[in-house]
Every structure is written in structure tokens, then in C-alpha cells.
Amino acid sequence: MSFDTRILTGVGVLAAVAETGNFARAADVLGLTPSGVSRAIARLEVRIGIRLFDRSPRAVTLTDEGRRFHAQIMPLLASIEEAATDAAGAAATVSGKLRINVDPWFARMVLAPRLPAFLARYPQVSIDLLVSNHREDKMAGVDVAVRFGPADGGSLIVRKLLDTRVLTCAAPTYLGRYGTPQSPHDLLHHEALLFRDPQTGRPFEWEFSKDGQAIDVDVRGRMTTDDPTTAIEACAAGHGIFQSLALGLDAWLRRGELVQILSEWSTERYPLYAYLPSRRLPPAKVRVFLDFIVEAVAASAP
């Protein structure tokens, strides 16, 4: 079956409507009339056989089918844009909107403080940042995703950025009141701050390793959260003991608000990966962003 090239026009209009939220603003961006945008979307819906948008007087929103289609075509549009840039002899130009989906801990502790430097270095780049620790649909409509944990790339391009240590820490005030654990089993008599696995909904297990020996400790605590930053602040306030990634923790350790405990049992490592859509050459904006976050994690290692 021959390809209907008119679909490309409709796809461009779809991207503009999804980004702006209504036909009128999309029309301004594209230099069309709102009715022209509406007709282009209607024609695209007929050609591909699905309803892309739910329409209301205030706004238009993608249907479930529309979201899936949009997520699939955005990387293709980016590839076309990159090919056009290459053809124009400007392959080294770093420009355009960079859409990234980033783990919350990495976003807050490592990336956000350094984003001004990245944007200053590349003034023609803008960033659309989604902060999420869910792995499902992590690539929906984005150029690159960053996640901690074992790689689950499937058909994606996966790039390992680093392994970070897992530290057990507490506030000096907590240790002054309740004592310092001397072995992992001592934690059974302490208050633990629990971090919920976003995939299972259950708290992460606490594991300790030393000289090839691994121990799982069934810690208990009255506070469970899915936000590690909240847990760290509660830990620094003296509520309990927390097991955290070392990456991004240096500020609390340096100020003495937290101290590491059971350091001889902290040989466990946890990986950080970047995920890219499966295509041969990422856009220049993605390549420089990956290089930048490698710099950022190196600077943030405690």
C-alpha cells in the first residue's frame, strides 16, 4: 500500500494542537485559521481511522488512542527535523524543545540546580521537563528519559550513566537519643523511614552487603512515602533512619545534618540509565543533554 503523504501535514497539525491545547493557539503557531486546523485534524482522523481529540468549548484533549498515536509519532517528527537540519548543513546546531522525563530524586537533587547552566550554554534550546518515577510510558512524547534501577529498555536505546552507592543515614539528633546501630540487625530496634516502590506499591527492602555477604533486614517504621526528598527531610529532622542513594546526598552530609551509619555494609550499588527512542542518531539537543548530565552526576558524587 502506498503511503499517503498528506498524513505528514496532519501529523504536524496534531503536534501543534497537542502542545498548545486548542485549535486557535495552534492556528497562530502554524499560520492557519482555526477552521483550517480543525479540518486538518478531521481529515487525519478519517485517514487513520481513530478519533484523536475530545473537543469542548474550552479546550481539546487527546483521547487514549490519540495519546498513543502522539507518543509514537513525536520521535519520528524529531527525526525528520534532525534530517532537515543535517540537509541544511547545520548538523551541529543545538536548538529546539527538549522533552525529558526524569526520576524525581535526580530531577531535584542533581538536575534542577544545574539546568540554568545548561540553558545558558545552549540558548536556542528550551526544556519541557516531566518528573516521574513510573516506568510505564516513560517515553510517551519525550526525547529522553532518566531512571534509576535495572535497565528495562526493550526496543529502546539504553545508556548507563553511573552506579551510585546506597547509604544508610540518620541525623545526629536521632543517634544521640537512640544510639548508633552497630550491625544491620540492630535496625530492628530502630525507626525506619520507608520508601515505596512506585511499581509495586510496597516499600523497598533494605539490603546490606559486606565482603560478598548480603543481608536483608525487615525494617519497620511508621512513615512510608513515595518521595525520597520528603524522607530525607524527615530523616534530617530526627524522625528515623533512611536508606538513600548517595547521589545528591552530599549537601546534607557536608552540612552535618545527616551522617552515614553502617558504612562497612554499604557496598551495594544502584544504576542510573538514560532511555532514548530506538533510532540511529539522536538529535543534537539530546546528545549534548546526555553529555551534560554525565558531567552533573560526576560533580554530584559524594
Side-chain angles (χ1 to χ4, degrees), residues 167-190:
L167 306 184
T168 308
C169 55
T173 53
Y174 176 89
L175 299 176
R177 288 196 304 269
Y178 302 107
T180 301
Q182 300 302 309
S183 76
H185 293 297
D186 290 345
L187 294 172
L188 295 173
H189 308 292
H190 285 266

Side-chain angles (χ1 to χ4, degrees), residues 84-125:
T85 301
D86 288 348
T93 299
V94 180
S95 62
K97 179 176 286 187
L98 177 63
R99 299 172 177 86
I100 52 180
N101 185 322
V102 185
D103 173 89
W105 178 256
F106 182 79
R108 295 168 190 168
M109 298 297 103
V110 180
L111 182 60
R114 293 168 174 80
L115 276 182
F118 178 79
L119 294 173
R121 188 183 301 181
Y122 303 106
Q124 297 183 58
V125 172

Side-chain angles (χ1 to χ4, degrees), residues 20-286:
T20 60
N22 65 45
F23 290 159
R25 286 195 291 269
D28 289 339
V29 170
L30 297 170
L32 301 173
T33 64
S35 61
V37 170
S38 180
R39 287 194 299 271
I41 293 297
R43 287 194 295 268
L44 180 61
E45 289 176 327
V46 170
R47 288 185 180 116
I48 63 178
I50 62 172
R51 183 167 57 86
L52 295 168
F53 289 99
D54 288 322
R55 298 156 172 83
S56 72
R58 288 187 171 183
V60 292
T61 56
L62 287 164
T63 63
D64 290 341
E65 294 85 356
R67 277 192 293 272
R68 284 193 292 270
F69 182 69
H70 178 261
Q72 290 174 325
I73 59 96
M74 288 306 295
L76 303 178
L77 286 180
S79 294
I80 292 172
E81 179 183 1
E82 184 78 1
T85 301
D86 288 348
T93 299
V94 180
S95 62
K97 179 176 286 187
L98 177 63
R99 299 172 177 86
I100 52 180
N101 185 322
V102 185
D103 173 89
W105 178 256
F106 182 79
R108 295 168 190 168
M109 298 297 103
V110 180
L111 182 60
R114 293 168 174 80
L115 276 182
F118 178 79
L119 294 173
R121 188 183 301 181
Y122 303 106
Q124 297 183 58
V125 172
S126 62
I127 288 180
D128 187 346
L129 175 61
L130 175 65
V131 178
S132 169
N133 55 15
H134 291 276
R135 288 175 172 260
E136 299 85 353
D137 301 325
K138 62 179 174 289
M139 297 306 304
V142 301
D143 300 298
V144 59
V146 178
R147 288 290 185 278
F148 286 104
D152 59 349
S155 63
L156 302 174
I157 298 171
V158 182
R159 176 176 173 181
K160 189 174 185 178
L161 300 175
L162 86 158
D163 281 312
T164 186
R165 290 183 298 146
V166 178
L167 306 184
T168 308
C169 55
T173 53
Y174 176 89
L175 299 176
R177 288 196 304 269
Y178 302 107
T180 301
Q182 300 302 309
S183 76
H185 293 297
D186 290 345
L187 294 172
L188 295 173
H189 308 292
H190 285 266
E191 179 78 14
L193 292 155
L194 304 177
F195 178 46
R196 184 184 299 112
D197 184 341
Q199 307 309 310
T200 66
R202 298 188 298 273
F204 279 104
E205 295 180 352
W206 286 29
E207 180 180 301
F208 298 86
S209 58
K210 173 185 176 183
D211 301 329
Q213 178 185 8
I215 297 176
D216 291 328
V217 180
D218 189 18
V219 295
R220 291 287 187 269
R222 292 174 293 157
M223 177 179 169
T224 303
T225 179
D226 63 353
D227 178 19
T229 312
T230 299
I232 283 291
E233 292 293 354
C235 185
H239 177 67
I241 296 174
F242 186 55
Q243 197 169 73
S244 170
L245 300 176
L247 182 68
L249 201 62
D250 53 321
W252 283 275
L253 296 171
R254 188 173 57 251
R255 293 191 299 262
E257 297 175 27
L258 294 174
V259 294
Q260 183 182 1
I261 62 173
L262 301 173
S263 56
E264 69 276 17
W265 286 91
S266 65
T267 59
E268 182 186 0
R269 315 285 293 189
Y270 210 60
L272 178 70
Y273 288 95
Y275 297 87
L276 290 79
S278 188
R279 58 175 183 264
R280 186 181 63 182
L281 180 66
K285 60 188 178 183
V286 172

Side-chain angles (χ1 to χ4, degrees), residues 1-5:
M1 182 178 66
S2 61
F3 176 69
D4 187 347
T5 57

